[in-house]
Amino acid sequence: MQAVMRWIAGRSLGSLHASGAWIGWLAYALSPTYRRRLRAHAALAGLTDAERRAAVAETGRMVAELPWLWLRPHHEPLGALLRWQGAELIEQALDAGSGLVLLTPHLGCFEVCAQAIAERFGERTRLTAMYRPARQAWLRELEEGTRRRPGLETAPAALAGVRQMIRALRRGEAVGLLPDQVPPEGMGVWAPFFGRPAYTMTLATRLVQQTGAALLLIWAERLPRGSGYLLRVTQPEAPVPTHADSDEALQIACATMVNEQMEALIRRKPQQYLWGYHRYKQPRRVEAVSPQDGKP
């Protein structure tokens, strides 16, 4: 299978995006579960039929570009394929020296965000990105060997990963999270997402509260015909809540704020959101963790 992935990685980005649209529609046609989920989530967010159809093709493009991103040689920069809006916000956060938490939803090419940050800011800081290891052994091995690059470290979505991220923030470095990914049981709370309760991680805002790190939002818009990606960096439109009647109420308020910020980003380009993601599922049971566990 890895040989196939490497062959795919050798194609041009334009050809991968063209074929990826067909892959998206093939998956939509062959999987009733995926089809129902995508339709239901798109309807919940109020997408038009045209936006929903575009989302099917964009999901296929996302799948097709992954081998190219993962297996791209480390010495070959993305360079001209990247355009930036708001990069100065990252510069300012790094200048402050208190660490930086970067949040991106499953929107556009979220995989390229970490590589782009490492490429542009790697001489100033290291980015530690949290990920959930794949279930398939061959894919897990591939991810572990290719996601880690100069200026870029990975942290598993587990207690060890939380500790790793806290150490990074205390060194004044940056960390990256997908806040619309369903966390394990004990690492989240139920908060509205497009009007429906979704189990939402509390880690992102706890990291900010515990370390004093800055918080920024980032996503990468996939540009037409394989011409690259537009990295958009913005500040949250609302501050992280700091007071409530109880810690549970505070974490629900924080998760609600994060979900609202993610919704605002997604509505800017709903065609490129991963609507087929099982966002409203029950969390899996593992050991509960807290950023406080990361104290050295």
Side-chain angles (χ1 to χ4, degrees):
M1 191 63 181
Q2 289 199 25
V4 175
M5 297 280 280
R6 294 186 183 281
W7 181 87
I8 295 173
R11 308 308 96 192
S12 70
L13 187 59
S15 64
L16 290 174
H17 283 175
S19 59
W22 291 101
I23 293 173
W25 278 106
L26 182 63
Y28 185 82
L30 295 179
S31 175
T33 300
Y34 168 65
R35 189 164 59 246
R36 286 193 300 269
R37 184 180 299 150
L38 187 148
R39 285 175 173 173
H41 294 177
L44 196 64
L47 266 64
T48 65
D49 289 342
E51 289 171 334
R52 177 173 54 80
R53 289 193 296 270
V56 173
E58 290 292 345
T59 298
R61 293 186 179 105
M62 180 208 71
V63 173
E65 70 196 356
L66 286 179
W68 180 84
L69 284 167
W70 287 347
L71 298 172
R72 183 177 56 82
H74 291 190
H75 63 274
E76 293 183 6
L78 291 163
L81 289 173
L82 300 179
R83 307 176 198 177
W84 287 84
Q85 286 185 358
E88 69 278 2
L89 296 174
I90 296 179
E91 293 279 4
Q92 294 166 8
L94 295 178
D95 288 342
S98 298
L100 172 61
V101 176
L102 289 156
L103 305 183
T104 181
H106 288 83
L107 176 66
C109 183
F110 47 91
E111 281 280 349
V112 83
C113 289
Q115 291 188 22
I117 293 168
E119 186 172 305
R120 178 157 182 160
F121 301 100
E123 293 184 359
R124 293 201 55 187
T125 189
R126 178 171 50 186
L127 173 70
T128 301
M130 178 167 279
Y131 75 103
R132 182 176 300 166
R135 293 180 179 179
Q136 301 90 340
W138 69 270
L139 184 56
R140 184 168 59 251
E141 180 182 350
L142 179 65
E143 288 177 337
E144 292 173 353
T146 58
R147 278 178 163 163
R148 187 176 291 110
R149 291 171 174 266
L152 175 60
E153 293 291 329
T154 58
L159 176 57
V162 174
R163 289 172 171 164
Q164 184 180 343
M165 298 187 95
I166 289 180
R167 290 194 294 268
L169 289 173
R170 289 177 175 165
R171 291 192 298 265
E173 297 175 358
V175 302
L177 295 160
L178 289 163
D180 58 338
Q181 189 171 55
V182 179
E185 187 176 45
M187 293 183 68
V189 294
W190 291 95
F193 186 67
F194 287 106
R196 179 179 173 184
Y199 198 68
T200 303
M201 70 165 59
T202 57
L203 177 60
T205 50
R206 282 188 184 275
L207 288 172
V208 173
Q209 293 162 345
Q210 291 290 326
T211 67
L215 178 67
L216 292 175
L217 316 178
I218 181 171
W219 67 284
E221 179 181 349
R222 186 178 300 106
L223 299 176
R225 295 178 293 280
S227 57
Y229 307 94
L230 174 58
L231 278 293
R232 300 180 184 269
V233 185
T234 60
Q235 293 177 324
E237 296 177 355
V240 175
T242 57
H243 297 91
D245 293 338
S246 65
D247 182 68
E248 180 182 9
L250 177 60
Q251 298 314 316
I252 292 174
C254 289
T256 299
M257 185 278 292
V258 168
N259 281 352
E260 289 173 349
Q261 299 305 305
M262 295 302 102
E263 286 183 27
L265 293 186
I266 293 164
R267 290 194 184 280
R268 296 181 63 178
K269 198 72 175 182
Q271 304 92 321
Q272 292 194 12
Y273 187 62
L274 193 62
W275 295 106
Y277 176 61
H278 200 354
R279 180 65 184 90
Y280 302 100
K281 66 182 177 181
Q282 292 290 324
R284 69 187 190 280
R285 293 186 176 183
V286 296
E287 177 188 5
V289 298
S290 163
Q292 294 179 339
D293 293 327
K295 294 180 179 180

mmCIF file of all heavy atoms in Angstrom, residues 109-133:
data_model
loop_
_atom_site.group_PDB
_atom_site.id
_atom_site.type_symbol
_atom_site.label_atom_id
_atom_site.label_comp_id
_atom_site.label_asym_id
_atom_site.label_seq_id
_atom_site.Cartn_x
_atom_site.Cartn_y
_atom_site.Cartn_z
ATOM 1 N N CYS A 109 -7.376 22.552 3.473
ATOM 2 C CA CYS A 109 -6.283 21.584 3.630
ATOM 3 C C CYS A 109 -5.655 21.782 5.007
ATOM 4 O O CYS A 109 -4.628 22.444 5.147
ATOM 5 C CB CYS A 109 -5.242 21.772 2.530
ATOM 6 S SG CYS A 109 -3.914 20.552 2.612
ATOM 7 N N PHE A 110 -6.291 21.214 6.031
ATOM 8 C CA PHE A 110 -5.784 21.415 7.383
ATOM 9 C C PHE A 110 -4.429 20.765 7.592
ATOM 10 O O PHE A 110 -3.647 21.178 8.447
ATOM 11 C CB PHE A 110 -6.789 20.929 8.431
ATOM 12 C CG PHE A 110 -7.376 19.576 8.174
ATOM 13 C CD1 PHE A 110 -6.788 18.442 8.671
ATOM 14 C CD2 PHE A 110 -8.550 19.446 7.426
ATOM 15 C CE1 PHE A 110 -7.335 17.186 8.441
ATOM 16 C CE2 PHE A 110 -9.104 18.190 7.191
ATOM 17 C CZ PHE A 110 -8.501 17.057 7.692
ATOM 18 N N GLU A 111 -4.089 19.744 6.784
ATOM 19 C CA GLU A 111 -2.792 19.088 6.915
ATOM 20 C C GLU A 111 -1.637 20.011 6.518
ATOM 21 O O GLU A 111 -0.533 19.874 7.028
ATOM 22 C CB GLU A 111 -2.753 17.826 6.048
ATOM 23 C CG GLU A 111 -3.443 16.624 6.646
ATOM 24 C CD GLU A 111 -2.597 15.897 7.675
ATOM 25 O OE1 GLU A 111 -1.387 16.204 7.784
ATOM 26 O OE2 GLU A 111 -3.145 15.032 8.374
ATOM 27 N N VAL A 112 -1.883 20.948 5.613
ATOM 28 C CA VAL A 112 -0.796 21.794 5.145
ATOM 29 C C VAL A 112 -0.468 22.892 6.147
ATOM 30 O O VAL A 112 0.621 23.476 6.098
ATOM 31 C CB VAL A 112 -1.132 22.417 3.768
ATOM 32 C CG1 VAL A 112 -1.992 23.672 3.898
ATOM 33 C CG2 VAL A 112 0.135 22.737 2.980
ATOM 34 N N CYS A 113 -1.384 23.202 7.065
ATOM 35 C CA CYS A 113 -1.164 24.300 8.010
ATOM 36 C C CYS A 113 0.120 24.097 8.808
ATOM 37 O O CYS A 113 0.940 25.020 8.936
ATOM 38 C CB CYS A 113 -2.352 24.440 8.946
ATOM 39 S SG CYS A 113 -3.840 25.093 8.172
ATOM 40 N N ALA A 114 0.299 22.904 9.362
ATOM 41 C CA ALA A 114 1.474 22.648 10.192
ATOM 42 C C ALA A 114 2.756 22.766 9.378
ATOM 43 O O ALA A 114 3.746 23.367 9.825
ATOM 44 C CB ALA A 114 1.372 21.266 10.838
ATOM 45 N N GLN A 115 2.767 22.195 8.178
ATOM 46 C CA GLN A 115 3.955 22.280 7.339
ATOM 47 C C GLN A 115 4.259 23.719 6.952
ATOM 48 O O GLN A 115 5.423 24.146 6.912
ATOM 49 C CB GLN A 115 3.772 21.426 6.079
ATOM 50 C CG GLN A 115 3.752 19.939 6.337
ATOM 51 C CD GLN A 115 3.771 19.132 5.047
ATOM 52 O OE1 GLN A 115 4.183 19.618 3.999
ATOM 53 N NE2 GLN A 115 3.318 17.893 5.122
ATOM 54 N N ALA A 116 3.216 24.497 6.660
ATOM 55 C CA ALA A 116 3.406 25.888 6.268
ATOM 56 C C ALA A 116 3.984 26.713 7.415
ATOM 57 O O ALA A 116 4.877 27.549 7.219
ATOM 58 C CB ALA A 116 2.075 26.483 5.806
ATOM 59 N N ILE A 117 3.489 26.477 8.634
ATOM 60 C CA ILE A 117 4.001 27.205 9.796
ATOM 61 C C ILE A 117 5.460 26.841 10.045
ATOM 62 O O ILE A 117 6.304 27.709 10.296
ATOM 63 C CB ILE A 117 3.138 26.908 11.025
ATOM 64 C CG1 ILE A 117 1.738 27.500 10.841
ATOM 65 C CG2 ILE A 117 3.785 27.459 12.293
ATOM 66 C CD1 ILE A 117 0.735 27.016 11.857
ATOM 67 N N ALA A 118 5.776 25.546 9.974
ATOM 68 C CA ALA A 118 7.150 25.107 10.184
ATOM 69 C C ALA A 118 8.073 25.696 9.133
ATOM 70 O O ALA A 118 9.215 26.079 9.425
ATOM 71 C CB ALA A 118 7.224 23.583 10.170
ATOM 72 N N GLU A 119 7.590 25.788 7.902
ATOM 73 C CA GLU A 119 8.417 26.316 6.822
ATOM 74 C C GLU A 119 8.695 27.806 6.999
ATOM 75 O O GLU A 119 9.810 28.268 6.771
ATOM 76 C CB GLU A 119 7.724 26.074 5.480
ATOM 77 C CG GLU A 119 8.555 26.462 4.269
ATOM 78 C CD GLU A 119 7.916 26.018 2.972
ATOM 79 O OE1 GLU A 119 7.632 24.802 2.838
ATOM 80 O OE2 GLU A 119 7.697 26.877 2.098
ATOM 81 N N ARG A 120 7.683 28.559 7.398
ATOM 82 C CA ARG A 120 7.854 30.017 7.511
ATOM 83 C C ARG A 120 8.458 30.446 8.846
ATOM 84 O O ARG A 120 9.255 31.401 8.893
ATOM 85 C CB ARG A 120 6.512 30.711 7.314
ATOM 86 C CG ARG A 120 6.591 32.221 7.470
ATOM 87 C CD ARG A 120 5.485 32.927 6.777
ATOM 88 N NE ARG A 120 5.609 34.376 6.893
ATOM 89 C CZ ARG A 120 5.030 35.258 6.098
ATOM 90 N NH1 ARG A 120 4.270 34.837 5.095
ATOM 91 N NH2 ARG A 120 5.185 36.549 6.273
ATOM 92 N N PHE A 121 8.083 29.757 9.930
ATOM 93 C CA PHE A 121 8.499 30.207 11.259
ATOM 94 C C PHE A 121 9.435 29.230 11.959
ATOM 95 O O PHE A 121 9.748 29.415 13.133
ATOM 96 C CB PHE A 121 7.259 30.442 12.133
ATOM 97 C CG PHE A 121 6.316 31.465 11.583
ATOM 98 C CD1 PHE A 121 5.167 31.081 10.895
ATOM 99 C CD2 PHE A 121 6.570 32.823 11.730
ATOM 100 C CE1 PHE A 121 4.283 32.020 10.383
ATOM 101 C CE2 PHE A 121 5.700 33.777 11.218
ATOM 102 C CZ PHE A 121 4.557 33.374 10.539
ATOM 103 N N GLY A 122 9.881 28.198 11.259
ATOM 104 C CA GLY A 122 10.688 27.163 11.892
ATOM 105 C C GLY A 122 11.990 27.646 12.487
ATOM 106 O O GLY A 122 12.515 27.037 13.430
ATOM 107 N N GLU A 123 12.544 28.726 11.957
ATOM 108 C CA GLU A 123 13.787 29.246 12.518
ATOM 109 C C GLU A 123 13.551 29.988 13.831
ATOM 110 O O GLU A 123 14.484 30.216 14.597
ATOM 111 C CB GLU A 123 14.464 30.180 11.510
ATOM 112 C CG GLU A 123 14.970 29.459 10.265
ATOM 113 C CD GLU A 123 15.724 30.390 9.337
ATOM 114 O OE1 GLU A 123 15.835 31.597 9.662
ATOM 115 O OE2 GLU A 123 16.219 29.910 8.305
ATOM 116 N N ARG A 124 12.290 30.362 14.091
ATOM 117 C CA ARG A 124 11.966 31.103 15.309
ATOM 118 C C ARG A 124 11.401 30.200 16.397
ATOM 119 O O ARG A 124 11.608 30.435 17.577
ATOM 120 C CB ARG A 124 10.940 32.196 15.011
ATOM 121 C CG ARG A 124 11.439 33.316 14.128
ATOM 122 C CD ARG A 124 10.564 34.547 14.320
ATOM 123 N NE ARG A 124 10.511 34.936 15.739
ATOM 124 C CZ ARG A 124 9.718 35.890 16.208
ATOM 125 N NH1 ARG A 124 8.898 36.529 15.382
ATOM 126 N NH2 ARG A 124 9.712 36.215 17.489
ATOM 127 N N THR A 125 10.641 29.199 15.980
ATOM 128 C CA THR A 125 9.966 28.361 16.956
ATOM 129 C C THR A 125 9.721 26.981 16.385
ATOM 130 O O THR A 125 9.836 26.758 15.174
ATOM 131 C CB THR A 125 8.616 28.990 17.372
ATOM 132 O OG1 THR A 125 8.069 28.257 18.481
ATOM 133 C CG2 THR A 125 7.622 28.955 16.227
ATOM 134 N N ARG A 126 9.376 26.064 17.250
ATOM 135 C CA ARG A 126 8.963 24.731 16.834
ATOM 136 C C ARG A 126 7.459 24.612 17.065
ATOM 137 O O ARG A 126 6.936 25.104 18.059
ATOM 138 C CB ARG A 126 9.715 23.677 17.640
ATOM 139 C CG ARG A 126 9.329 22.231 17.310
ATOM 140 C CD ARG A 126 10.268 21.266 17.977
ATOM 141 N NE ARG A 126 10.439 21.558 19.394
ATOM 142 C CZ ARG A 126 11.305 20.915 20.184
ATOM 143 N NH1 ARG A 126 12.084 19.982 19.678
ATOM 144 N NH2 ARG A 126 11.394 21.233 21.465
ATOM 145 N N LEU A 127 6.776 23.979 16.135
ATOM 146 C CA LEU A 127 5.344 23.726 16.271
ATOM 147 C C LEU A 127 5.126 22.275 16.660
ATOM 148 O O LEU A 127 5.642 21.365 16.013
ATOM 149 C CB LEU A 127 4.618 24.024 14.956
ATOM 150 C CG LEU A 127 3.130 23.644 14.927
ATOM 151 C CD1 LEU A 127 2.325 24.562 15.833
ATOM 152 C CD2 LEU A 127 2.581 23.681 13.505
ATOM 153 N N THR A 128 4.342 22.061 17.707
ATOM 154 C CA THR A 128 3.945 20.711 18.113
ATOM 155 C C THR A 128 2.467 20.551 17.793
ATOM 156 O O THR A 128 1.630 21.264 18.344
ATOM 157 C CB THR A 128 4.182 20.484 19.617
ATOM 158 O OG1 THR A 128 5.572 20.672 19.911
ATOM 159 C CG2 THR A 128 3.781 19.071 20.011
ATOM 160 N N ALA A 129 2.151 19.645 16.888
ATOM 161 C CA ALA A 129 0.770 19.448 16.443
ATOM 162 C C ALA A 129 0.231 18.137 17.004
ATOM 163 O O ALA A 129 0.874 17.090 16.897
ATOM 164 C CB ALA A 129 0.702 19.428 14.920
ATOM 165 N N MET A 130 -0.961 18.206 17.595
ATOM 166 C CA MET A 130 -1.580 16.998 18.147
ATOM 167 C C MET A 130 -2.335 16.249 17.063
ATOM 168 O O MET A 130 -2.993 16.864 16.215
ATOM 169 C CB MET A 130 -2.526 17.355 19.288
ATOM 170 C CG MET A 130 -3.246 16.161 19.898
ATOM 171 S SD MET A 130 -4.073 16.551 21.481
ATOM 172 C CE MET A 130 -2.682 16.439 22.615
ATOM 173 N N TYR A 131 -2.227 14.940 17.067
ATOM 174 C CA TYR A 131 -2.920 14.117 16.081
ATOM 175 C C TYR A 131 -3.380 12.829 16.746
ATOM 176 O O TYR A 131 -2.879 12.443 17.806
ATOM 177 C CB TYR A 131 -2.010 13.792 14.895
ATOM 178 C CG TYR A 131 -0.962 12.736 15.196
ATOM 179 C CD1 TYR A 131 -1.117 11.428 14.742
ATOM 180 C CD2 TYR A 131 0.159 13.036 15.965
ATOM 181 C CE1 TYR A 131 -0.170 10.458 15.032
ATOM 182 C CE2 TYR A 131 1.104 12.077 16.258
ATOM 183 C CZ TYR A 131 0.946 10.785 15.790
ATOM 184 O OH TYR A 131 1.878 9.816 16.092
ATOM 185 N N ARG A 132 -4.343 12.199 16.115
ATOM 186 C CA ARG A 132 -4.824 10.904 16.585
ATOM 187 C C ARG A 132 -4.241 9.821 15.686
ATOM 188 O O ARG A 132 -4.512 9.800 14.481
ATOM 189 C CB ARG A 132 -6.350 10.841 16.546
ATOM 190 C CG ARG A 132 -6.925 9.514 17.066
ATOM 191 C CD ARG A 132 -8.440 9.550 17.085
ATOM 192 N NE ARG A 132 -8.904 10.629 17.964
ATOM 193 C CZ ARG A 132 -10.146 11.074 17.976
ATOM 194 N NH1 ARG A 132 -11.043 10.566 17.166
ATOM 195 N NH2 ARG A 132 -10.502 12.038 18.811
ATOM 196 N N PRO A 133 -3.431 8.922 16.213
ATOM 197 C CA PRO A 133 -2.810 7.884 15.381
ATOM 198 C C PRO A 133 -3.857 7.042 14.648
ATOM 199 O O PRO A 133 -4.910 6.716 15.197
ATOM 200 C CB PRO A 133 -2.034 7.039 16.396
ATOM 201 C CG PRO A 133 -1.801 7.958 17.560
ATOM 202 C CD PRO A 133 -3.013 8.831 17.619
#
